[in-house]
Amino acid sequence: MERRTVWDATLSDSERAALRPGLPDPLDRSPDVLVVGGGIVGLAIAAGGRQAELGRVVVLEREERLAAGASGGNAGAVAPDMHLLTDGPEFVAFGRASREVYRR
């Protein structure tokens, strides 16, 4: 049975296909940036690495598709304003910017 999320119904066919990139042939085994985990945080980091022109970026995800489910560690990326009382303004600004990159 395919795992679905609440937002699956809003995806276009091309967006759905992008979430299932599959294994490239050949897999780059010496990337400049290796991101382990294709959830919201991992994808935002990968996008940031590409935008910063850090070189070849590879995302590894154990599920069949990217962004397959909720991440236990993403609360700061999904709701960065939760950190206003505990972390510096730079951290909150980074979280807000990362969230916008993910949305785009």
Coordinates of all heavy atoms in Angstrom, one line a residue:
M1 N 0.8 -1.2 0.0 CA 0.0 0.0 0.0 C 0.9 1.3 0.0 O 1.8 1.4 0.8 CB -0.9 0.0 1.2 CG -1.9 1.1 1.3 SD -3.1 0.9 2.6 CE -2.6 2.1 3.7
E2 N 0.6 2.2 -0.9 CA 1.3 3.4 -1.0 C 1.0 4.3 0.2 O -0.1 4.6 0.5 CB 1.0 4.1 -2.3 CG 1.8 5.4 -2.5 CD 1.5 6.0 -3.8 OE1 1.0 5.4 -4.7 OE2 1.7 7.2 -3.9
R3 N 2.1 4.9 0.8 CA 1.9 5.9 1.8 C 1.5 7.2 1.2 O 2.2 7.7 0.3 CB 3.2 6.0 2.6 CG 3.0 7.0 3.8 CD 4.3 7.4 4.4 NE 4.7 6.3 5.3 CZ 5.8 6.4 6.1 NH1 6.6 7.4 5.9 NH2 6.1 5.5 6.9
R4 N 0.4 7.8 1.7 CA 0.0 9.1 1.2 C 0.0 10.1 2.3 O -0.1 9.8 3.5 CB -1.4 8.9 0.6 CG -1.5 8.0 -0.5 CD -2.8 7.9 -1.2 NE -3.4 9.1 -1.7 CZ -3.1 9.6 -2.9 NH1 -2.3 9.0 -3.7 NH2 -3.7 10.8 -3.2
T5 N 0.1 11.4 1.9 CA 0.1 12.5 2.8 C -1.2 13.3 2.5 O -1.8 13.2 1.5 CB 1.3 13.4 2.7 OG1 1.4 13.9 1.4 CG2 2.6 12.6 3.0
V6 N -1.5 14.2 3.5 CA -2.7 15.0 3.3 C -2.6 15.9 2.1 O -3.6 16.3 1.5 CB -3.0 15.9 4.6 CG1 -3.3 15.0 5.7 CG2 -1.8 16.8 4.9
W7 N -1.4 16.3 1.6 CA -1.3 17.2 0.5 C -1.1 16.5 -0.8 O -1.0 17.1 -1.9 CB -0.2 18.2 0.7 CG 1.1 17.6 1.2 CD1 1.5 17.4 2.5 CD2 2.2 17.0 0.4 NE1 2.7 16.8 2.5 CE2 3.2 16.5 1.3 CE3 2.4 16.9 -1.0 CZ2 4.3 15.9 0.8 CZ3 3.5 16.3 -1.4 CH2 4.5 15.8 -0.5
D8 N -1.1 15.1 -0.9 CA -1.0 14.4 -2.1 C -2.0 14.8 -3.2 O -1.6 14.9 -4.4 CB -1.1 12.9 -1.9 CG 0.2 12.3 -1.4 OD1 1.3 12.8 -1.7 OD2 0.1 11.3 -0.7
A9 N -3.2 15.1 -2.8 CA -4.3 15.4 -3.8 C -4.0 16.8 -4.5 O -4.5 17.0 -5.5 CB -5.6 15.5 -3.1
T10 N -3.1 17.6 -3.9 CA -2.8 18.9 -4.5 C -1.7 18.9 -5.5 O -1.4 19.9 -6.1 CB -2.5 19.9 -3.4 OG1 -1.3 19.6 -2.7 CG2 -3.7 20.0 -2.4
L11 N -1.0 17.7 -5.6 CA 0.2 17.6 -6.5 C -0.2 17.4 -7.9 O -1.1 16.7 -8.3 CB 1.1 16.5 -6.0 CG 1.7 16.6 -4.6 CD1 2.4 15.3 -4.3 CD2 2.6 17.8 -4.5
S12 N 0.6 18.0 -8.8 CA 0.5 17.7 -10.2 C 1.2 16.4 -10.5 O 2.0 15.9 -9.7 CB 1.1 18.8 -11.1 OG 2.5 18.9 -10.9
D13 N 1.0 15.9 -11.7 CA 1.7 14.6 -12.1 C 3.2 14.8 -12.1 O 4.0 14.0 -11.7 CB 1.3 14.2 -13.5 CG -0.2 13.6 -13.5 OD1 -0.7 13.3 -12.4 OD2 -0.8 13.5 -14.6
S14 N 3.7 16.0 -12.6 CA 5.1 16.2 -12.6 C 5.7 16.4 -11.2 O 6.8 16.0 -10.9 CB 5.5 17.5 -13.4 OG 4.9 18.6 -12.9
E15 N 4.9 17.0 -10.3 CA 5.4 17.1 -8.9 C 5.4 15.7 -8.2 O 6.4 15.4 -7.5 CB 4.4 18.0 -8.1 CG 4.6 19.5 -8.5 CD 3.5 20.4 -7.9 OE1 2.3 19.9 -7.7 OE2 3.8 21.5 -7.7
R16 N 4.4 14.9 -8.5 CA 4.4 13.5 -8.0 C 5.6 12.7 -8.5 O 6.3 12.0 -7.7 CB 3.1 12.8 -8.4 CG 2.4 12.2 -7.2 CD 1.1 11.6 -7.6 NE 0.0 12.3 -7.1 CZ -0.8 13.2 -7.7 NH1 -0.6 13.4 -9.0 NH2 -1.7 13.8 -7.1
A17 N 6.0 12.9 -9.7 CA 7.1 12.2 -10.3 C 8.4 12.7 -9.7 O 9.4 11.9 -9.5 CB 7.2 12.4 -11.8
A18 N 8.5 14.0 -9.4 CA 9.7 14.6 -8.8 C 10.0 14.0 -7.4 O 11.1 13.9 -7.0 CB 9.6 16.1 -8.7
L19 N 8.9 13.6 -6.7 CA 9.1 13.0 -5.4 C 9.6 11.5 -5.5 O 9.9 10.9 -4.5 CB 7.8 13.0 -4.6 CG 7.3 14.4 -4.2 CD1 5.9 14.4 -3.6 CD2 8.3 15.0 -3.2
R20 N 9.6 10.9 -6.7 CA 10.1 9.6 -6.9 C 11.2 9.6 -7.9 O 11.0 9.0 -9.0 CB 8.9 8.7 -7.3 CG 7.8 8.5 -6.3 CD 6.8 7.6 -6.9 NE 5.7 7.4 -6.0 CZ 5.7 6.6 -4.9 NH1 6.7 5.9 -4.6 NH2 4.6 6.6 -4.1
P21 N 12.3 10.2 -7.6 CA 13.3 10.3 -8.6 C 14.0 9.0 -8.9 O 14.6 8.8 -10.0 CB 14.3 11.3 -8.0 CG 14.1 11.2 -6.6 CD 12.7 10.9 -6.4
G22 N 14.0 8.0 -8.0 CA 14.6 6.7 -8.3 C 16.1 6.8 -8.1 O 16.7 7.9 -7.8
L23 N 16.8 5.8 -8.4 CA 18.2 5.7 -8.3 C 18.8 6.1 -9.6 O 18.6 5.5 -10.6 CB 18.6 4.2 -7.9 CG 20.1 4.0 -7.6 CD1 20.5 4.8 -6.4 CD2 20.3 2.5 -7.4
P24 N 19.7 7.1 -9.6 CA 20.3 7.6 -10.8 C 21.3 6.5 -11.3 O 21.9 5.8 -10.5 CB 21.0 8.9 -10.5 CG 21.2 8.8 -9.0 CD 20.1 7.9 -8.5
D25 N 21.5 6.5 -12.6 CA 22.5 5.6 -13.2 C 23.6 6.4 -13.9 O 23.3 7.1 -14.9 CB 21.8 4.7 -14.2 CG 22.8 3.7 -14.8 OD1 23.6 3.2 -14.0 OD2 22.6 3.4 -16.0
P26 N 24.8 6.5 -13.4 CA 25.3 5.9 -12.1 C 25.1 6.8 -11.0 O 25.0 8.0 -11.1 CB 26.7 5.7 -12.4 CG 27.1 6.8 -13.3 CD 25.9 7.1 -14.2
L27 N 25.0 6.3 -9.8 CA 24.9 7.1 -8.6 C 26.3 7.7 -8.3 O 27.3 7.1 -8.3 CB 24.5 6.2 -7.4 CG 24.5 6.9 -6.0 CD1 23.4 8.0 -6.0 CD2 24.2 5.9 -4.9
D28 N 26.3 9.0 -8.1 CA 27.5 9.8 -7.7 C 27.9 9.4 -6.3 O 27.3 9.7 -5.3 CB 27.2 11.3 -7.8 CG 28.5 12.1 -7.6 OD1 29.5 11.6 -7.2 OD2 28.4 13.3 -7.8
R29 N 29.0 8.6 -6.2 CA 29.5 8.1 -5.0 C 30.5 9.0 -4.3 O 31.0 8.6 -3.2 CB 30.0 6.7 -5.2 CG 28.9 5.7 -5.7 CD 29.3 4.3 -5.6 NE 28.3 3.4 -6.1 CZ 27.3 3.0 -5.4 NH1 27.1 3.3 -4.1 NH2 26.4 2.2 -5.9
S30 N 30.8 10.1 -4.9 CA 31.7 11.1 -4.2 C 31.2 12.5 -4.4 O 31.9 13.3 -5.0 CB 33.1 10.9 -4.7 OG 33.1 11.1 -6.1
P31 N 30.0 12.8 -3.9 CA 29.4 14.1 -4.1 C 30.2 15.1 -3.2 O 30.8 14.8 -2.2 CB 28.0 14.0 -3.6 CG 28.0 12.9 -2.6 CD 29.1 11.9 -3.1
D32 N 30.0 16.4 -3.5 CA 30.5 17.4 -2.6 C 29.7 17.6 -1.4 O 30.2 17.9 -0.3 CB 30.6 18.8 -3.4 CG 31.5 18.6 -4.6 OD1 32.7 18.3 -4.4 OD2 31.0 18.8 -5.8
V33 N 28.4 17.4 -1.5 CA 27.5 17.4 -0.4 C 26.6 16.2 -0.4 O 26.0 15.9 -1.4 CB 26.6 18.7 -0.5 CG1 25.6 18.7 0.7 CG2 27.4 20.0 -0.5
L34 N 26.6 15.5 0.7 CA 25.7 14.3 0.9 C 24.7 14.6 1.9 O 25.1 14.9 3.1 CB 26.5 13.1 1.2 CG 25.7 11.8 1.5 CD1 25.0 11.3 0.3 CD2 26.6 10.7 2.1
V35 N 23.4 14.5 1.6 CA 22.3 14.8 2.5 C 21.7 13.4 2.8 O 21.2 12.8 1.8 CB 21.3 15.8 1.9 CG1 20.2 16.0 2.9 CG2 22.0 17.1 1.6
V36 N 21.6 13.1 4.1 CA 21.0 11.8 4.4 C 19.6 12.1 5.0 O 19.4 12.8 6.0 CB 21.8 11.0 5.5 CG1 21.1 9.8 5.9 CG2 23.2 10.7 4.9
G37 N 18.6 11.8 4.2 CA 17.2 12.1 4.6 C 16.5 13.0 3.6 O 17.0 14.1 3.4
G38 N 15.5 12.6 3.0 CA 14.8 13.4 2.0 C 13.5 13.9 2.5 O 12.5 14.0 1.8
G39 N 13.5 14.4 3.8 CA 12.3 15.0 4.4 C 12.4 16.5 4.1 O 13.3 17.0 3.4
I40 N 11.6 17.3 4.8 CA 11.6 18.7 4.6 C 12.9 19.4 4.9 O 13.4 20.2 4.2 CB 10.5 19.4 5.5 CG1 10.4 20.9 5.2 CG2 10.7 19.1 7.0 CD1 9.2 21.6 5.9
V41 N 13.6 18.9 6.0 CA 14.9 19.5 6.3 C 16.0 19.1 5.3 O 16.7 19.9 4.8 CB 15.3 19.1 7.8 CG1 16.7 19.6 8.1 CG2 14.3 19.6 8.8
G42 N 16.0 17.8 5.0 CA 17.0 17.4 4.0 C 16.9 18.0 2.7 O 17.9 18.4 2.0
L43 N 15.6 18.1 2.2 CA 15.4 18.8 0.9 C 15.7 20.3 0.9 O 16.3 20.8 -0.1 CB 14.0 18.5 0.4 CG 13.6 17.1 0.1 CD1 12.1 17.0 -0.2 CD2 14.5 16.5 -1.0
A44 N 15.5 20.9 2.0 CA 15.8 22.3 2.1 C 17.3 22.5 2.2 O 17.9 23.4 1.5 CB 15.2 23.0 3.4
I45 N 18.0 21.6 2.8 CA 19.5 21.7 2.9 C 20.1 21.4 1.5 O 21.0 22.1 1.0 CB 20.1 20.7 3.9 CG1 19.7 21.2 5.3 CG2 21.6 20.5 3.7 CD1 20.0 20.2 6.4
A46 N 19.5 20.4 0.8 CA 20.0 20.1 -0.6 C 19.7 21.3 -1.5 O 20.6 21.6 -2.3 CB 19.3 18.8 -1.1
A47 N 18.6 21.9 -1.4 CA 18.3 23.0 -2.3 C 19.2 24.2 -1.9 O 19.7 24.9 -2.8 CB 16.8 23.5 -2.1
G48 N 19.5 24.4 -0.7 CA 20.4 25.5 -0.3 C 21.8 25.2 -0.8 O 22.5 26.1 -1.2
G49 N 22.2 23.9 -0.7 CA 23.5 23.6 -1.2 C 23.7 23.8 -2.7 O 24.7 24.3 -3.2
R50 N 22.6 23.6 -3.5 CA 22.6 23.8 -4.9 C 22.6 25.3 -5.2 O 23.4 25.8 -6.0 CB 21.4 23.2 -5.6 CG 21.4 21.7 -5.6 CD 22.5 21.1 -6.5 NE 22.5 21.7 -7.8 CZ 22.0 21.1 -8.9 NH1 21.4 20.0 -8.8 NH2 22.0 21.7 -10.1
Q51 N 21.8 26.1 -4.4 CA 21.7 27.5 -4.6 C 23.0 28.2 -4.3 O 23.4 29.2 -4.9 CB 20.6 28.1 -3.8 CG 19.2 27.8 -4.3 CD 18.1 28.4 -3.5 OE1 18.3 28.8 -2.3 NE2 16.9 28.3 -4.0
A52 N 23.7 27.6 -3.3 CA 25.0 28.2 -2.9 C 26.2 27.7 -3.8 O 27.3 28.0 -3.5 CB 25.3 27.8 -1.4
E53 N 25.8 26.9 -4.8 CA 26.8 26.4 -5.7 C 27.9 25.6 -5.0 O 29.1 25.8 -5.3 CB 27.3 27.5 -6.6 CG 26.2 28.1 -7.5 CD 26.7 29.2 -8.3 OE1 27.9 29.6 -8.3 OE2 25.9 29.7 -9.1
L54 N 27.5 24.7 -4.1 CA 28.5 24.0 -3.3 C 29.1 22.7 -4.1 O 29.9 22.0 -3.6 CB 27.9 23.5 -2.0 CG 27.6 24.6 -1.0 CD1 27.0 24.0 0.2 CD2 28.7 25.5 -0.7
G55 N 28.5 22.5 -5.3 CA 29.0 21.4 -6.1 C 27.9 20.4 -6.3 O 26.7 20.7 -6.2
R56 N 28.3 19.1 -6.4 CA 27.4 18.0 -6.6 C 26.7 17.7 -5.3 O 27.4 17.4 -4.3 CB 28.1 16.8 -7.2 CG 28.7 17.1 -8.6 CD 29.5 15.9 -9.1 NE 30.2 15.1 -8.2 CZ 31.4 15.4 -7.7 NH1 32.1 16.5 -8.1 NH2 32.0 14.6 -6.8
V57 N 25.4 17.6 -5.3 CA 24.6 17.3 -4.1 C 23.8 16.1 -4.4 O 23.1 15.9 -5.4 CB 23.6 18.5 -3.8 CG1 22.7 18.1 -2.6 CG2 24.3 19.8 -3.6
V58 N 23.9 15.1 -3.4 CA 23.2 13.9 -3.5 C 22.3 13.7 -2.2 O 22.8 14.0 -1.1 CB 24.1 12.6 -3.6 CG1 23.3 11.3 -3.4 CG2 24.8 12.7 -4.9
V59 N 21.0 13.4 -2.4 CA 20.1 13.1 -1.3 C 19.8 11.6 -1.2 O 19.4 11.0 -2.2 CB 18.8 13.9 -1.5 CG1 17.8 13.6 -0.4 CG2 19.0 15.4 -1.6
L60 N 20.1 11.0 -0.1 CA 19.7 9.6 0.1 C 18.5 9.5 1.0 O 18.4 10.2 2.0 CB 20.9 8.9 0.8 CG 22.2 8.8 0.1 CD1 23.2 8.1 1.0 CD2 22.1 8.2 -1.2
E61 N 17.5 8.7 0.6 CA 16.3 8.6 1.3 C 15.9 7.1 1.3 O 16.0 6.4 0.3 CB 15.2 9.4 0.7 CG 13.8 9.1 1.3 CD 13.7 9.3 2.8 OE1 14.1 10.4 3.3 OE2 13.2 8.4 3.5
R62 N 15.6 6.5 2.5 CA 15.3 5.1 2.5 C 13.9 4.7 2.1 O 13.6 3.6 1.7 CB 15.6 4.6 4.0 CG 14.6 5.1 5.0 CD 14.8 4.5 6.3 NE 14.1 5.3 7.3 CZ 14.3 5.1 8.6 NH1 15.2 4.3 9.1 NH2 13.6 5.9 9.4
E63 N 13.0 5.7 2.1 CA 11.6 5.5 1.7 C 11.6 5.5 0.2 O 12.5 5.9 -0.5 CB 10.7 6.5 2.2 CG 10.6 6.6 3.7 CD 10.0 5.3 4.3 OE1 9.1 4.7 3.7 OE2 10.3 5.0 5.5
E64 N 10.5 5.0 -0.4 CA 10.3 5.0 -1.9 C 10.2 6.3 -2.5 O 10.4 6.5 -3.7 CB 9.1 4.1 -2.2 CG 9.3 2.7 -2.0 CD 8.1 1.9 -2.4 OE1 7.3 2.4 -3.2 OE2 7.9 0.7 -1.9
R65 N 9.9 7.3 -1.7 CA 9.7 8.7 -2.3 C 10.2 9.7 -1.3 O 10.3 9.5 -0.1 CB 8.3 9.0 -2.6 CG 7.3 9.0 -1.4 CD 5.9 9.3 -1.9 NE 5.6 10.7 -1.4 CZ 4.4 11.2 -1.4 NH1 3.4 10.5 -1.9 NH2 4.2 12.4 -1.0
L66 N 10.5 10.9 -1.8 CA 11.0 12.0 -1.0 C 9.8 12.6 -0.2 O 8.6 12.5 -0.7 CB 11.6 13.1 -1.9 CG 12.8 12.6 -2.6 CD1 13.3 13.7 -3.6 CD2 14.0 12.3 -1.7
A67 N 10.0 13.2 0.9 CA 9.0 13.8 1.7 C 7.8 12.9 2.0 O 6.7 13.2 1.9 CB 8.5 15.1 1.0
A68 N 8.2 11.6 2.3 CA 7.2 10.6 2.5 C 6.4 10.7 3.8 O 5.3 10.2 3.9 CB 7.9 9.2 2.5
G69 N 6.9 11.4 4.8 CA 6.2 11.5 6.0 C 6.7 12.6 6.9 O 7.7 13.3 6.6
A70 N 6.1 12.6 8.1 CA 6.6 13.6 9.1 C 7.9 13.3 9.6 O 8.3 12.2 9.8 CB 5.6 13.7 10.2
S71 N 8.7 14.4 9.9 CA 10.1 14.2 10.4 C 10.0 14.7 11.9 O 9.5 15.7 12.2 CB 11.0 15.1 9.7 OG 12.2 15.2 10.4
G72 N 10.5 13.9 12.7 CA 10.6 14.2 14.2 C 11.4 15.4 14.5 O 11.3 16.1 15.5
G73 N 12.4 15.7 13.6 CA 13.3 16.8 13.8 C 13.0 18.1 13.1 O 13.8 19.0 13.0
N74 N 11.8 18.2 12.4 CA 11.6 19.3 11.5 C 10.8 20.5 12.2 O 10.5 21.5 11.5 CB 10.9 18.9 10.3 CG 9.4 18.5 10.5 OD1 8.8 18.7 11.5 ND2 8.8 18.0 9.5
A75 N 10.4 20.4 13.4 CA 9.6 21.5 14.0 C 10.2 22.8 13.9 O 9.5 23.8 13.6 CB 9.3 21.2 15.5
G76 N 11.5 22.9 14.0 CA 12.2 24.2 13.8 C 12.1 24.8 12.4 O 12.1 26.0 12.2
A77 N 12.0 23.9 11.4 CA 12.0 24.3 10.0 C 10.5 24.6 9.6 O 10.3 25.6 8.9 CB 12.5 23.2 9.1
V78 N 9.6 23.9 10.2 CA 8.2 24.1 9.8 C 7.6 25.3 10.5 O 6.9 26.1 10.0 CB 7.4 22.9 10.1 CG1 5.9 23.1 9.9 CG2 7.8 21.7 9.3
A79 N 8.0 25.5 11.8 CA 7.6 26.6 12.6 C 8.7 27.3 13.3 O 8.9 27.2 14.5 CB 6.5 26.1 13.6
P80 N 9.6 28.0 12.5 CA 10.8 28.6 13.1 C 10.5 29.6 14.2 O 11.3 29.9 15.1 CB 11.5 29.3 11.9 CG 10.5 29.4 10.9 CD 9.5 28.3 11.1
D81 N 9.3 30.2 14.2 CA 9.0 31.2 15.2 C 8.9 30.6 16.6 O 8.9 31.4 17.6 CB 7.7 32.0 14.9 CG 7.9 32.9 13.6 OD1 9.0 33.5 13.6 OD2 7.1 32.9 12.7
M82 N 8.8 29.3 16.7 CA 8.8 28.7 18.0 C 10.1 28.9 18.7 O 10.2 28.8 19.9 CB 8.6 27.2 17.9 CG 7.2 26.8 17.4 SD 6.9 25.0 17.1 CE 8.2 24.1 17.8
H83 N 11.2 29.3 18.0 CA 12.5 29.4 18.5 C 12.8 30.9 19.0 O 13.9 31.2 19.5 CB 13.5 29.0 17.5 CG 13.6 27.5 17.3 ND1 14.3 26.7 18.1 CD2 12.9 26.8 16.4 CE1 14.1 25.4 17.7 NE2 13.2 25.5 16.6
L84 N 11.8 31.8 18.8 CA 12.0 33.2 19.2 C 12.5 33.4 20.6 O 13.2 34.3 20.9 CB 10.8 34.0 18.9 CG 10.5 34.3 17.4 CD1 9.1 34.9 17.3 CD2 11.6 35.2 16.9
L85 N 12.0 32.6 21.5 CA 12.3 32.7 23.0 C 13.5 31.9 23.4 O 14.0 32.1 24.5 CB 11.1 32.3 23.8 CG 9.8 33.1 23.6 CD1 8.7 32.6 24.4 CD2 10.1 34.6 24.0
T86 N 14.0 31.0 22.5 CA 15.1 30.2 22.9 C 16.4 30.3 22.1 O 17.5 29.9 22.6 CB 14.7 28.7 22.9 OG1 14.3 28.4 21.5 CG2 13.6 28.4 23.8
D87 N 16.3 30.9 20.9 CA 17.4 31.0 20.1 C 17.6 32.4 19.5 O 16.6 33.2 19.6 CB 17.3 30.0 18.9 CG 17.4 28.6 19.4 OD1 18.4 28.1 19.9 OD2 16.3 27.9 19.3
G88 N 18.7 32.7 18.9 CA 19.0 34.0 18.4 C 18.2 34.3 17.2 O 17.7 33.5 16.5
P89 N 18.1 35.6 16.9 CA 17.3 36.1 15.7 C 17.9 35.5 14.4 O 17.1 35.3 13.4 CB 17.4 37.6 15.7 CG 18.5 37.9 16.6 CD 18.7 36.8 17.6
E90 N 19.2 35.3 14.3 CA 19.8 34.7 13.1 C 19.3 33.3 12.8 O 19.0 33.0 11.7 CB 21.3 34.7 13.2 CG 21.9 36.1 13.3 CD 22.0 36.6 14.8 OE1 21.6 35.8 15.7 OE2 22.5 37.7 15.0
F91 N 19.1 32.5 13.9 CA 18.6 31.2 13.7 C 17.2 31.2 13.2 O 16.8 30.4 12.3 CB 18.7 30.4 15.1 CG 18.2 29.0 15.0 CD1 19.1 28.0 14.7 CD2 16.9 28.7 15.3 CE1 18.7 26.7 14.6 CE2 16.5 27.3 15.3 CZ 17.4 26.4 14.9
V92 N 16.4 32.0 13.8 CA 15.0 32.1 13.4 C 14.9 32.6 11.9 O 14.1 32.1 11.1 CB 14.2 33.1 14.3 CG1 12.7 33.3 13.8 CG2 14.2 32.5 15.8
A93 N 15.7 33.6 11.6 CA 15.7 34.1 10.2 C 16.1 33.0 9.2 O 15.5 32.8 8.2 CB 16.6 35.3 10.1
F94 N 17.1 32.2 9.6 CA 17.5 31.1 8.8 C 16.4 30.1 8.6 O 16.1 29.6 7.5 CB 18.8 30.4 9.4 CG 19.2 29.2 8.6 CD1 19.9 29.4 7.4 CD2 19.0 27.9 9.1 CE1 20.3 28.3 6.7 CE2 19.4 26.8 8.3 CZ 20.1 27.0 7.1
G95 N 15.7 29.8 9.7 CA 14.6 28.9 9.6 C 13.5 29.4 8.7 O 12.9 28.6 7.9
R96 N 13.2 30.7 8.8 CA 12.2 31.3 7.9 C 12.6 31.2 6.5 O 11.8 30.8 5.6 CB 11.9 32.7 8.3 CG 11.2 32.9 9.6 CD 11.1 34.3 10.0 NE 10.4 34.5 11.3 CZ 10.5 35.6 12.0 NH1 11.3 36.6 11.6 NH2 9.8 35.7 13.1
A97 N 13.8 31.5 6.2 CA 14.3 31.4 4.8 C 14.3 30.0 4.3 O 13.9 29.8 3.1 CB 15.7 32.0 4.7
S98 N 14.7 29.1 5.1 CA 14.7 27.7 4.7 C 13.3 27.2 4.4 O 13.0 26.5 3.4 CB 15.3 26.8 5.8 OG 16.6 27.1 6.0
R99 N 12.3 27.6 5.2 CA 10.9 27.2 4.9 C 10.4 27.8 3.6 O 9.7 27.1 2.8 CB 10.1 27.7 6.1 CG 8.6 27.4 5.9 CD 7.8 27.9 7.1 NE 7.9 29.3 7.2 CZ 7.6 30.0 8.3 NH1 7.1 29.4 9.3 NH2 7.7 31.3 8.3
E100 N 10.8 29.0 3.3 CA 10.4 29.6 2.0 C 11.1 28.9 0.8 O 10.4 28.7 -0.2 CB 10.8 31.1 2.0 CG 9.9 31.9 2.9 CD 8.4 31.7 2.7 OE1 8.0 31.7 1.5 OE2 7.8 31.5 3.7
V101 N 12.3 28.5 1.0 CA 13.0 27.7 -0.1 C 12.2 26.4 -0.3 O 11.9 26.0 -1.4 CB 14.4 27.4 0.2 CG1 15.0 26.3 -0.7 CG2 15.3 28.6 0.2
Y102 N 11.8 25.7 0.8 CA 11.0 24.5 0.7 C 9.7 24.7 0.0 O 9.3 24.0 -0.9 CB 10.8 23.9 2.0 CG 10.0 22.6 2.0 CD1 10.5 21.4 1.6 CD2 8.6 22.6 2.3 CE1 9.8 20.3 1.5 CE2 7.9 21.5 2.3 CZ 8.4 20.3 1.8 OH 7.7 19.2 1.8
R103 N 9.0 25.8 0.3 CA 7.7 26.1 -0.3 C 7.9 26.3 -1.8 O 7.0 25.9 -2.6 CB 7.1 27.3 0.3 CG 6.5 27.1 1.7 CD 5.9 28.3 2.2 NE 5.3 28.1 3.5 CZ 5.1 29.0 4.4 NH1 5.4 30.2 4.2 NH2 4.5 28.6 5.6
R104 N 9.0 27.0 -2.2 CA 9.2 27.2 -3.7 C 9.6 25.9 -4.4 O 9.2 25.7 -5.5 CB 10.3 28.3 -3.9 CG 9.8 29.7 -3.6 CD 10.8 30.7 -4.1 NE 12.2 30.5 -3.6 CZ 12.6 31.1 -2.6 NH1 11.9 31.9 -1.8 NH2 13.9 30.9 -2.2

